[in-house]
Amino acid sequence: MSRVVTVGAAQLGPIARDEPRTDVVERLLVLLHDAADRGCDLVVYPELALTTFFPRWYLEDITEADHFYERSMPNAATQPLFDEAKRLGIGFCLGHALLETDPDGTERRWNVQTLVERDGSIVATFKKVHIPGHASHEPHRPFQHLERYYFEPSPDGFGVWDAFGGRVGMMICNDRRWPESYREMALQGVELILCGYNTPLHYAPDPSQDPLQGYHNQLVMCAGAYQNGTFVVGVAKGGEEEGVASLAESTIIAPSGQPLARAQTDGDELIVAECDLDWCKNYTGTLFDFDLYRRPEAYTRLTSQRGVATPCTSTAGSTGFSRSR
Ligand code: ING
């Protein structure tokens, strides 16, 4: 019996800083109904799909950003989306900020994706692992990228869950640039990776990358898909959001590494692809048969080292290792 999941990537255009969640949820519902008309089983929304990308501003009192975070999921603003998706029998993946309070009263701030099955049940909430950008105000930048100020890195790592008839995993934005993200999920048998992103076209630390944002986006997701024999669904919040031009180009990618569908606009747009999960085995059962071909004993640095360590010779001529900064 074939395991075809019809996936919709629901790209969003800009969300204004003061756009009410009710207005945003209306936009999500329009995309959900389009997905229903086109036979989707699953709709994937972008990273931080309920609010503007608020890490672009520095707020000295971080509690002034509290209204950008959800305290629970679902909640009053998103319940209409949960109800309609369940009525239509469509699952979805929703990116949002989450503010939790530990039993000892400590506030925890996460960048998350919540995965919901077709019956309305919550499969899992994934916390972003790789947090890019910077942790303190850098006023010289044309806009901030303060994710390391507003979010903690996940303590949970990457998970894979049984859903939609297959093995489904999640990653968020910067996670897609790190090959470890895909491999961690592939070693758990992932067949479909869901990834929302908000990517400014301008990268202040190295503007030479600006014209390459689209190329790098396709490169990392297509490579990750092929090298791990999995589908990858990359979904943008694109367009010019509060003055910051952001990459669109949402794409659904096959285990072969081939794009199956790509967004044509930088606004609200649904792209759809039929994902036959059995396609994964063409790769994981042959070229990328991990159990047959991988050599973990040759990869020890991958989990024992964070940064680069290079051999160095001291005056005594003995070799040692110097740690990079
Ligand atoms: N955004 C970016 C990303 O990894 C970034 C960070 C911006 C990297 C611009 C490179 C260039 O796509 C998030 N939200 O992780």
Side-chain angles (χ1 to χ4, degrees), residues 11 248-251 260-271:
Q11 176 178 287
E249 300 187 21
S250 301
T251 311
L260 297 175
R262 189 179 302 173
Q264 302 303 311
T265 73
D266 62 0
D268 291 15
E269 177 183 348
L270 184 80
I271 57 170

Side-chain angles (χ1 to χ4, degrees), residues 47-48 53 55 111 128 130-133 143 145 147 151 172-178 196-206 209-210 213 216-217 247:
E47 174 188 30
L48 297 180
F53 185 78
N111 186 341
K128 188 172 182 177
H130 297 94
I131 308 295
F143 50 87
H145 199 104
E147 290 196 61
F151 302 121
I172 299 175
C173 203
N174 197 252
D175 289 328
R176 79 192 187 285
R177 298 180 190 276
W178 301 92
Y197 59 87
N198 287 216
T199 298
L201 291 180
H202 175 60
Y203 184 57
D206 176 18
Q209 296 181 33
D210 295 7
Q213 290 302 349
H216 287 158
N217 185 48
L247 180 68

